[in-house]
Amino acid sequence: MNDPRRLFRYVLAFAGLLTVLYAVTGLLGLALTTLTLQSSTLSGGEDTRIRASLYLAELIIGLPIWLALWISSQRRARASLEERNAPERRFFLGAVFACTSIVALFALHSVLRYVLTLPGTGDADHTAQDTLFSAARLLVFGAAWVYYAHLGWCERNLHDEDALHDLAVYLLAGFSLAFLAVGVTQAISQILTDLVGATRTHLLAGSTRSVWDRWGSIAALILSGGLLWGAIWQYDLSRGGARPVRVGYLYIILLIAVPWALASAGQGLFELLLRLFDYSPEWEPRWSFVKDFLPALLVAGMIWVHHWAVIRRQAAPRRRGERHVPGSVLWPRRPGLVLMTVLGLAIVVPALVSVLWLALDFLLNTDDTLSGENWWRDRLSASIAAAVVGTGAWLGGWVRLQRAAATAPEIERAARERRQALGLVVLVSSLAAIGFGVSLLWLILQPLLGAGLDSTDVSRMLKYLSAATIALGVLAYHGQALRRDLAFGPARAAKVRIIALVAAGMEEELERLRETTGRRIEVIGYLSEPQNDAWTDLPTLENQLTELGAPETGQGDRAILLLGCKGGSLHSYSHRRT
């Protein structure tokens, strides 16, 4: 399996394939330009000769390399199951899937943008030339994508685990979702601008050309991103299974969408509070700020809700062999709730400190030169907005975690994610309390050693005291929660890697074991010798797989499963000598 010649073949085949695709795209684009744009500067002259020479050179060099190595690899794959399952081949197919599909996505967007804005932009030669090359790119790279995707699906079942193919799928899903999100955001923003903008124009106001210019590029983003995202995402969801790469992809999307949504909500609430505090901008309508935050809030919120719903559907007890306890938070939802709790706390605590400092400035009449006579309005609005948004995020995660901890303490209080989050909060709040405490003591010692004391120094002392008090409060509350969690013993063991040797004809039983126990079982080979009668029966084997990795058993971090016609045998081991 570790044959360097195989890696050499597939790396060079990948490089040769991309070279060929680029050269064919260029030659086809030149041909289309010459046939359709006779007046173009590319239809003749030095530039065309230079480009054609480059593309021909790439084709002459890349085509023999790709064909020779690919034909050799195909012959080996047809003759050997090991070759078809080799990681180098899976990497090649996954890389081709990702590269060709993403290039095709960008090309599709370029073609649609030109077609949809054509009535508004006129017949500009350079735009038409770019579109023809994009059409050639879409055709060539799209054909390569279809061919290699079909080849990969023929070699492996759609429901099989293939992390490299999953990664390629989610790369395409991420790019297409970004296109769709940007397009929808721009569309909502344009509608709101027309409805509540400074000019108070109608939705389709302006000349026909300006309308096509305005909406053509937006529609191109929505169509190209929406079509590909809908197709690839439906394909992935139809495959089912507990796919680790999918969980990683979902969390990456949430790590972008959730802060985006919270920031947009905070911006909108900040602008609303400003106006409630009698702020009225002279250069724009009173409610024009809606177009600045509402589009992002709606789009990010929809992405957030949809992908969290996918995570909830994926959270089943059998996914990781967890015994179901009513009220517990199942994987992979717990990390999301923990991250939401920490993010909300990181927003609400500084906001609370800011409100207290603002109150001290008001009472002691300090810091009044920041924004004129209404110096407090901006700070108070920003602090309240952050406090409301942060409190909602913090309570949304923490209340769910606490309810689960009260219902299923033996699972939730021993969860590694919960303990790590509490430890982080305790550590950060301890450092903050120490820092503000040192600053407070420094200010107190100065007048004791003979320095003067004025209202500004008193204000700073009270500010540092209030911040230290809040940090100590956060430390005390979460420290007590962490102490209660640690009373339940060590954290649960990490997931165990299981490899199996399977007898011929036992594939269905292996799939049943995977489903009933929720364990990922990696097949490394098949047994060729007959099995004896001393093996464990299948029901007992199911129980052993379910209990695998419990802290009290003292087992290793790996296990091997031998599955035969009359039962099986499970052996735990560690990859390091102890």
Side-chain angles (χ1 to χ4, degrees), residues 85-239:
N85 293 329
E88 295 87 353
R89 184 176 179 85
R90 309 317 304 174
F91 175 81
F92 171 83
L93 293 175
V96 172
F97 187 100
C99 292
T100 55
S101 61
I102 292 173
V103 171
L105 169 63
F106 278 87
L108 176 62
H109 167 256
S110 298
V111 173
L112 288 176
R113 182 178 59 185
Y114 176 76
V115 171
L116 295 175
T117 59
L118 184 60
T121 58
D123 189 13
D125 280 346
H126 67 91
T127 304
Q129 293 162 9
D130 294 340
T131 303
L132 289 174
F133 276 91
S134 296
R137 195 175 300 115
L138 174 62
L139 179 63
V140 174
F141 280 84
W145 176 26
V146 172
Y147 169 74
Y148 279 102
H150 181 265
L151 179 65
W153 294 332
C154 291
E155 291 185 357
R156 304 195 75 174
N157 190 282
L158 295 181
H159 302 284
D160 290 342
E161 293 185 2
D162 189 346
L164 294 172
H165 177 68
D166 291 346
L167 180 60
V169 168
Y170 300 129
L171 282 173
L172 176 59
F175 273 96
S176 56
L177 179 61
F179 276 52
L180 178 61
V182 171
V184 175
T185 301
Q186 291 181 358
I188 299 175
S189 178
Q190 186 62 54
I191 293 174
L192 293 176
T193 299
D194 291 339
L195 293 176
V196 300
T199 58
R200 297 186 180 276
T201 58
H202 295 290
L203 183 61
L204 298 179
S207 64
T208 303
R209 176 171 177 173
S210 66
V211 171
W212 281 104
D213 287 340
R214 190 188 317 160
W215 287 98
S217 58
I218 295 176
L221 285 169
I222 295 175
L223 288 176
S224 59
L227 290 174
L228 273 181
W229 180 75
I232 199 68
W233 191 235
Q234 186 60 38
Y235 156 73
D236 180 68
L237 294 180
S238 66
R239 294 188 299 163

Side-chain angles (χ1 to χ4, degrees), residues 379-573:
R379 290 175 56 186
L380 182 60
S381 300
S383 300
I384 294 177
V388 171
V389 172
T391 300
W394 173 58
L395 291 179
W398 183 241
V399 170
R400 180 69 182 89
L401 291 174
Q402 286 294 85
R403 186 185 303 121
T407 305
E410 69 281 359
I411 293 179
E412 293 302 320
R413 295 193 181 277
R416 179 175 287 102
E417 300 91 345
R418 176 185 169 94
R419 292 189 177 184
Q420 289 175 344
L422 287 175
L424 177 63
V425 172
V426 168
L427 176 61
V428 173
S429 57
S430 299
L431 294 176
I434 292 173
F436 284 114
V438 170
S439 300
L440 175 62
L441 184 59
W442 170 63
L443 290 176
I444 293 175
L445 290 176
Q446 288 187 60
L448 295 179
L449 296 177
L453 183 66
D454 55 19
S455 60
T456 301
D457 294 329
V458 174
S459 175
R460 292 169 64 190
M461 289 181 185
L462 293 176
K463 286 180 179 179
Y464 293 152
L465 177 62
S466 63
T469 301
I470 292 176
L472 288 174
V474 174
L475 170 62
Y477 177 75
H478 292 88
Q480 183 65 24
L482 180 60
R483 187 179 299 109
R484 288 195 300 268
D485 290 353
L486 293 176
F488 280 82
R492 302 185 65 188
K495 62 180 181 180
V496 180
R497 180 188 177 191
I498 307 173
I499 58 177
L501 299 173
V502 183
M506 295 300 294
E507 289 80 3
E508 293 185 2
E509 290 296 334
L510 177 65
E511 290 300 323
R512 190 176 68 84
L513 282 176
R514 286 171 172 167
E515 287 295 323
T516 56
T517 64
R519 294 290 184 175
R520 295 184 61 201
I521 303 175
E522 178 184 351
V523 178
I524 61 171
Y526 295 89
L527 297 173
S528 57
E529 298 179 357
Q531 294 79 48
N532 54 46
D533 297 332
W535 286 9
T536 305
D537 56 39
L538 293 178
T540 304
L541 199 60
E542 293 179 7
N543 294 331
Q544 292 179 356
L545 283 169
T546 302
E547 299 293 337
L548 194 63
E552 62 272 10
T553 61
Q555 296 169 331
D557 61 350
R558 298 189 181 187
I560 184 169
L561 173 67
L562 304 179
L563 185 61
C565 301
K566 298 183 179 180
S569 178
L570 181 66
H571 305 275
S572 176
Y573 72 97

Side-chain angles (χ1 to χ4, degrees), residues 146-405:
V146 172
Y147 169 74
Y148 279 102
H150 181 265
L151 179 65
W153 294 332
C154 291
E155 291 185 357
R156 304 195 75 174
N157 190 282
L158 295 181
H159 302 284
D160 290 342
E161 293 185 2
D162 189 346
L164 294 172
H165 177 68
D166 291 346
L167 180 60
V169 168
Y170 300 129
L171 282 173
L172 176 59
F175 273 96
S176 56
L177 179 61
F179 276 52
L180 178 61
V182 171
V184 175
T185 301
Q186 291 181 358
I188 299 175
S189 178
Q190 186 62 54
I191 293 174
L192 293 176
T193 299
D194 291 339
L195 293 176
V196 300
T199 58
R200 297 186 180 276
T201 58
H202 295 290
L203 183 61
L204 298 179
S207 64
T208 303
R209 176 171 177 173
S210 66
V211 171
W212 281 104
D213 287 340
R214 190 188 317 160
W215 287 98
S217 58
I218 295 176
L221 285 169
I222 295 175
L223 288 176
S224 59
L227 290 174
L228 273 181
W229 180 75
I232 199 68
W233 191 235
Q234 186 60 38
Y235 156 73
D236 180 68
L237 294 180
S238 66
R239 294 188 299 163
R243 303 181 182 275
V245 184
R246 178 193 292 156
V247 175
Y249 165 78
L250 291 171
Y251 269 104
I252 289 175
I253 297 299
L254 290 176
L255 286 174
I256 297 173
V258 173
W260 188 17
L262 294 179
S264 301
Q267 179 188 357
L269 185 57
F270 167 71
E271 295 287 349
L272 178 61
L273 289 172
L274 282 179
R275 284 151 180 81
L276 292 178
F277 291 138
D278 202 27
Y279 169 74
S280 180
E282 299 177 357
W283 59 88
E284 62 181 4
R286 184 176 180 84
W287 300 105
S288 62
F289 71 94
V290 174
K291 62 182 174 57
D292 297 326
F293 83 93
L294 188 58
L297 177 61
L298 292 176
V299 173
M302 289 187 292
I303 294 175
W304 178 1
V305 170
H306 173 75
H307 288 81
W308 183 251
V310 176
I311 286 183
R312 289 181 60 85
R313 288 197 298 269
Q314 177 137 329
R318 65 173 184 271
R319 298 303 186 195
R320 290 179 66 188
E322 294 182 353
R323 293 188 300 273
H324 176 61
V325 177
S328 62
V329 179
L330 300 177
W331 182 88
R333 282 182 281 176
R334 188 184 295 116
L337 295 175
V338 168
L339 290 174
M340 176 68 70
T341 300
V342 174
L343 177 61
L345 195 62
I347 296 174
V348 71
V349 171
L352 181 58
V353 172
S354 178
V355 170
L356 289 177
W357 287 14
L358 177 63
L360 291 172
D361 286 334
F362 179 78
L363 293 175
L364 299 176
N365 196 26
T366 57
D367 234 357
D368 59 350
T369 60
L370 295 179
S371 304
E373 64 178 71
N374 293 323
W375 59 271
W376 54 270
R377 183 174 55 203
D378 292 349
R379 290 175 56 186
L380 182 60
S381 300
S383 300
I384 294 177
V388 171
V389 172
T391 300
W394 173 58
L395 291 179
W398 183 241
V399 170
R400 180 69 182 89
L401 291 174
Q402 286 294 85
R403 186 185 303 121

